[in-house]
Amino acid sequence: MVTRTSLPPDLVVEKQASKTAPPPMYRVILLNDDYTPMEFVVQVLQKFFGKGQEEAMRIMLQVHHEGKGVCGVYPHDIAASRIAQVAQFARARQHPLQCVMEPAGDS
């Protein structure tokens, strides 16, 4: 048999505020290749990263001229999911487009 003991009426229980840190963030980066059409890169940026036409064009040109471009910054699970979606979408359309992630850091 389990018995319950009552707490003294003058007992005060304080709840400590827990501090949770935000999750680490990761940059999702598109890499340049010599085969994927620029229009397809723009489509990927709009479809999977929610970019408008102008911003998608800017990022696509950065990928084209600098070899890579940042699509967005996300928690690990979301970044990994976006990368997998882009890879599946590109392969299904026979494009070698590659997408990777790197820790965002504090910069």
Side-chain angles (χ1 to χ4, degrees):
M1 177 190 270
V2 177
T3 60
R4 257 189 163 171
T5 59
S6 18
L7 297 174
D10 59 343
L11 178 68
V12 177
V13 178
E14 292 184 22
K15 183 177 180 182
Q16 290 184 337
S18 61
K19 295 182 180 180
T20 56
M25 303 297 277
Y26 293 83
R27 285 185 202 91
V28 176
I29 300 168
L30 280 177
L31 303 178
N32 190 36
D33 64 70
D34 293 333
Y35 304 101
T36 304
M38 292 179 180
E39 296 80 14
F40 184 77
V41 174
V42 169
Q43 181 184 8
V44 164
L45 288 162
Q46 291 176 316
K47 181 176 181 73
F48 297 105
F49 300 98
K51 304 300 182 189
Q53 180 71 24
E54 192 173 303
E55 188 175 8
M57 289 291 290
R58 182 189 60 73
I59 295 169
M60 176 275 296
L61 288 172
Q62 183 180 23
V63 171
H64 181 69
H65 293 295
E66 298 176 24
K68 64 182 181 177
V70 176
C71 307
V73 179
Y74 307 96
H76 186 275
D77 291 348
I78 295 172
S81 177
R82 298 279 167 93
I83 290 168
Q85 290 171 331
V86 168
Q88 182 180 19
F89 188 72
R91 298 307 164 262
R93 286 148 187 84
Q94 299 181 346
H95 294 300
L97 184 63
Q98 290 198 3
C99 197
V100 297
M101 73 172 130
E102 66 182 27
D106 294 331
S107 55

